[in-house]
Amino acid sequence: MSNHLYSQLGWLQAAPEDFSAQCRQLLTEPAPLGLRLQHLANHALDENQLNKLAKAIQKARAAGTSMAPLVPFRLGILSNATSHFIVPALVATAARHGIALDCIEADFDQVMQEALSPSSTIHQAQCDAVLVAVDYRGLPLNAALGDAEAAHHTVQAALGHLEMIRNGLRTNSKAICILQTLPRPVESAFGSLDMALPGTPRQLIDEVNRGIAQSVAGTEDLLLDVAHLAETVGLADWHDPTLWNMAKLPFASEFLPLYADHVCRLIAALRGKSRKCLILDLDNTVWGGVIGDDGLDGIVIGQGDATGEAHLHVQRTALALRDRGVVLAVSSKNTDNIARQPFQKHPEMLLREDHIAVFQANWNDKATNIKAIAEELSLGLDAMVFLDDNPVERGLVRKMLPQVAVPELPDNAALYARTLQAAGYFEAIAFSGEDRKRAEFYQDNARRVTLQKQAGDVDAYLVSLNMQMTLQPFDDTGRARIAQLINKSNQFNLTTRRYTEADVAAAQQDPNAFTLQVRLADAFGDNGMISVVICRRQQADWDIDTWLMSCRVLGRKAETAVLQELITQARAQGIQRLIGRYLPTEKNKLVEDHYAKLGFTLVDKQADGSTVWELHVQDAPLVDLPIAILRSGFAPKADEKFIVS
């Protein structure tokens, strides 16, 4: 396959013919600017189009126009190469991913100076993250050919150079470091021997890249694997010696949209905007043919047939995504029992019914089915990716549900899986045991929703779940997951304040902070960590700085159980009032009345919709709940059960 899928972002629709005119009109229309920016950015834009959109964003920013619902993010850029041409592409591309990006550039080839100086431009800007865009030409990578010891010292010196940059960033700011791997040069000294001989550029760069990946693992810093990106499109195409010699551009301008998209995927993932659910069409997507017409023996799938193997690859890709926590669902125009037959009976099928969290096979339009899937999974539409071979169905979903990601698919089914993966909808910045189980969490939740619909008595249903809630303060073991939840949770999040792992550790150690991590298990399985709370002491009050919960547990009185724990702990520590704040965003309207429903009293309301609430803890009643409460690490230490009788 040619590089067009990557260089031209082939999973996106082509830009509209009047793209330039739409950019000029952005500030003249009444609709929310952020949504229109995101719509325009969500096309396959070339360098010139990215520049036009970035200029429109710059004008809007200069005019003080709100970018809502785009999430603000400040990115510093340190590079040994020219980075001016990258900035407009990053700013425009970020809008595609729901981010209002502000870039701060350091001077050319001033990487170490900017990182180490507390008064540098990068540090004074208080960036959320810093992109360290250093390639092999910015590191000391010379060693005696064939000398293994000298090669080892060279690699360690290069890694030490990068670690010094990271230490400078950590010391002088709270910014997360985005560290690139190094695309190796095309030219070789010994041909095939380059890979084995110590001291060759090939051998040195490969070792440095392994060291970079190892140094980032288990930290808050992020890895941007530019080496893999360059190898994917071809090193000879990636490196343009003319552009480097003339303008110190680190890669061919053809790949600027691709590079910008990969950077912005990381930023979006950092802000919790990675997709969580893959919705599959069936006919001519998961298998070849139409099950309703061709029957079980007539559909094409499996080994020994090019078309069958292409669709098998789609299934294999879906299962691989599920193994890393992506939820699978089905939306198909079909009779339900017929659509299920291949899952139940076809010997070549890899996907089975128990892999699918929600199965929607009916004659409703796809948009209606997708909304039902989102509701049953308690996920937002912006968590969905819809894979369908039919351009008419893709167009309908894009029009009716613009929040849903719908990749363009080529005519050749052999490229469906590659196109889906190239789009990067499920970009991850970390992977934990809970991530691995996420698909099962949502699948179990869908079963709970189904059972609840069948149950006439909600309280009896909740009791039948045999819920057990574990409550404990922040600890080292849970820190990474706590930070992940804080940065990913958008809907059930009262303030949507974002904190790094370092911030979480600080709260954990702060004697004036009360912290709470909450886990929930039930008869259907373990939901994992479902809530995080941070309270900060202000004299005799606890100011609830952060309160977020997983939407998977809505309607199960989990929020009431968390409040009762806050009341219990507040009384034990002599706290008189809980002060709750609601800071409205585009996504958290769900919790607009959260404090009112829990018995708090409104004490202040601002023009922007933000509110302040209070609850006097001595007057707050404790009620029976259908949840067994297990505490760990608190005083008083006790296991209590609040059960509906």
Side-chain angles (χ1 to χ4, degrees):
M1 179 187 179
S2 71
N3 282 336
H4 291 173
L5 170 61
Y6 301 98
S7 63
Q8 298 181 15
L9 309 188
W11 55 90
L12 296 171
Q13 285 186 297
E17 292 184 3
D18 63 343
F19 177 82
S20 297
Q22 289 193 42
C23 285
R24 290 193 296 270
Q25 295 167 3
L26 278 169
L27 291 176
T28 65
E29 298 178 3
L33 177 63
L35 292 177
R36 287 182 287 123
L37 286 172
Q38 191 165 12
H39 170 73
L40 275 180
N42 203 31
H43 292 89
L45 306 181
D46 60 25
E47 183 177 4
N48 289 333
Q49 291 165 330
L50 290 170
N51 285 335
K52 289 178 181 177
L53 187 57
K55 287 180 181 178
I57 293 173
Q58 184 180 14
K59 288 181 180 178
R61 186 173 278 134
T65 307
S66 170
M67 299 282 183
L70 303 184
V71 176
F73 194 95
R74 181 165 288 185
L75 179 70
I77 302 175
L78 299 175
S79 182
N80 65 297
T82 302
S83 57
H84 296 320
F85 81 116
I86 297 175
V87 171
L90 289 172
V91 170
T93 301
R96 176 184 306 145
H97 296 274
I99 302 293
L101 187 66
D102 184 19
C103 289
I104 294 87
E105 280 185 278
D107 291 337
F108 172 77
D109 204 15
Q110 296 293 300
V111 178
M112 189 65 74
Q113 296 91 322
E114 285 280 331
L116 296 181
S117 172
S119 60
S120 70
T121 303
I122 294 293
H123 295 315
Q124 292 300 308
Q126 297 183 328
C127 299
D128 295 295
V130 176
L131 173 63
V132 181
V134 174
D135 72 357
Y136 73 94
R137 288 161 290 214
L139 293 174
L141 285 175
N142 296 314
L145 292 173
D147 188 334
E149 184 176 355
H152 174 75
H153 288 307
T154 297
V155 169
Q156 294 306 308
L159 293 173
H161 184 87
L162 293 172
E163 187 61 24
M164 191 179 298
I165 294 169
R166 290 175 66 195
N167 285 335
L169 294 174
R170 280 194 293 264
T171 300
N172 295 305
S173 74
K174 292 184 177 181
I176 289 172
C177 175
I178 302 176
L179 199 60
Q180 295 186 172
T181 54
L182 317 176
R184 57 184 173 83
V186 181
E187 299 79 16
S188 65
F190 294 91
S192 295
L193 188 59
D194 272 15
M195 188 172 183
L197 187 66
T200 63
R202 167 75 181 269
Q203 192 264 357
L204 293 173
I205 290 173
D206 285 352
E207 289 296 325
V208 169
N209 284 339
R210 277 189 284 271
I212 291 172
Q214 291 169 1
S215 72
V216 171
T219 73
E220 283 191 278
D221 292 339
L222 304 181
L223 182 71
L224 178 62
D225 196 357
V226 181
H228 173 71
L229 192 59
E231 290 169 2
T232 299
V233 300
L235 288 169
D237 290 332
W238 181 266
H239 290 294
D240 189 326
T242 303
L243 288 178
W244 176 260
N245 293 338
M246 290 177 56
K248 294 299 180 284
L249 301 185
F251 53 83
S253 56
E254 174 188 5
F255 299 113
L256 178 59
L258 179 66
Y259 176 85
D261 198 66
H262 276 255
V263 174
C264 292
R265 290 175 193 180
L266 281 180
I267 294 171
L270 194 59
R271 287 294 180 255
K273 292 182 173 291
S274 293
R275 306 279 171 161
K276 298 180 178 69
C277 177
L278 173 61
I279 303 173
L280 297 163
D281 170 55
L282 296 180
D283 293 333
N284 290 311
T285 301
V286 168
W287 53 68
V290 178
I291 184 64
D293 295 335
D294 302 322
L296 190 64
D297 296 332
I299 61 172
V300 183
I301 185 172
Q303 302 289 338
D305 179 275
T307 299
E309 292 197 18
H311 292 289
L312 204 61
H313 191 25
V314 171
Q315 294 191 34
R316 193 176 293 112
T317 300
L319 284 174
L321 288 170
R322 187 181 185 275
D323 285 344
R324 47 157 289 194
V326 174
V327 189
L328 300 184
V330 162
S331 175
S332 174
K333 284 187 176 178
N334 248 311
T335 302
D336 184 85
N337 66 318
I338 294 176
R340 291 178 186 268
Q341 285 180 6
F343 292 85
Q344 297 168 344
K345 300 178 181 179
H346 201 294
E348 298 289 344
M349 280 284 290
L350 296 177
L351 286 171
R352 295 296 175 183
E353 280 184 288
D354 60 1
H355 295 132
I356 307 300
V358 182
F359 202 109
Q360 289 282 348
N362 51 46
W363 298 103
N364 296 333
D365 64 85
K366 297 290 181 74
T368 298
N369 276 345
I370 291 171
K371 285 192 287 187
I373 290 168
E375 181 179 352
E376 195 155 343
L377 292 172
S378 299
L379 285 172
L381 289 169
D382 58 356
M384 306 288 158
V385 177
F386 178 51
L387 191 73
D388 195 316
D389 70 293
N390 190 326
V392 175
E393 299 288 4
R394 295 198 299 264
L396 172 71
V397 173
R398 287 193 188 105
K399 183 176 181 180
M400 301 296 293
L401 304 174
Q403 309 97 312
V404 175
V406 185
E408 277 294 279
L409 291 180
D411 295 333
N412 185 357
L415 301 177
Y416 287 0
R418 179 178 292 184
T419 302
L420 173 65
Q421 291 175 302
Y425 298 120
F426 306 104
E427 184 80 25
I429 58 174
F431 186 63
S432 66
E434 292 204 10
D435 291 323
R436 185 180 293 109
K437 297 177 182 177
R438 186 186 302 116
E440 295 177 8
F441 291 160
Y442 281 102
Q443 197 157 328
D444 289 343
N445 195 58
R447 295 191 189 105
R448 294 182 190 100
V449 172
T450 300
L451 180 60
Q452 187 170 358
K453 289 177 180 177
Q454 298 169 351
D457 185 338
V458 174
D459 285 339
Y461 162 72
L462 293 178
V463 170
S464 73
L465 287 178
N466 293 323
M467 290 181 284
Q468 179 174 291
M469 179 177 284
T470 303
L471 302 150
Q472 62 187 104
F474 289 1
D475 59 11
D476 295 346
T477 303
R479 186 183 304 156
R481 177 59 177 160
I482 292 165
Q484 187 182 46
L485 275 177
I486 288 172
N487 285 291
K488 281 189 173 183
S489 300
N490 295 302
Q491 292 177 281
F492 199 125
N493 193 330
L494 276 300
T495 57
T496 63
R497 292 175 177 136
R498 308 303 187 186
Y499 293 130
T500 65
E501 283 190 46
D503 296 325
V504 172
Q508 179 183 333
Q509 301 298 327
D510 186 352
N512 290 315
F514 172 80
T515 63
L516 190 64
Q517 55 176 313
V518 184
R519 297 176 179 272
L520 187 69
D522 59 36
F524 286 93
D526 187 354
N527 292 274
M529 192 180 297
I530 56 97
S531 185
V532 169
V533 180
I534 301 174
C535 297
R536 301 192 186 277
R537 183 164 191 148
Q538 305 290 339
Q539 297 179 340
D541 297 338
W542 269 355
D543 191 325
I544 304 174
D545 172 277
T546 296
W547 188 347
L548 59 90
M549 296 189 72
S550 168
C551 292
R552 299 195 304 269
V553 299
L554 287 177
R556 297 169 63 182
K557 301 190 178 181
E559 59 269 40
T560 303
V562 172
L563 174 62
Q564 295 203 162
E565 184 65 17
L566 291 180
I567 292 170
T568 299
Q569 297 294 340
R571 288 175 177 173
Q573 297 193 34
I575 297 298
Q576 297 178 9
R577 291 190 308 166
L578 297 177
I579 306 297
R581 303 177 190 276
Y582 168 67
L583 306 180
T585 69
E586 184 70 19
K587 290 188 175 183
N588 74 350
K589 192 172 178 61
L590 171 71
V591 291
E592 182 179 25
D593 299 323
H594 172 76
Y595 286 117
K597 291 176 181 177
L598 291 178
F600 283 65
T601 302
L602 179 66
V603 294
D604 189 24
K605 184 173 184 178
Q606 301 294 320
D608 63 359
S610 61
T611 51
V612 181
W613 304 77
E614 69 173 9
L615 180 71
H616 291 272
V617 297
Q618 298 303 326
D619 301 333
L622 299 178
V623 298
D624 288 341
L625 294 172
I627 302 174
I629 304 296
L630 302 177
R631 294 190 183 93
S632 175
F634 290 121
K637 295 181 179 179
D639 291 349
E640 298 181 15
K641 293 187 178 182
F642 304 105
I643 304 295
V644 171
S645 58

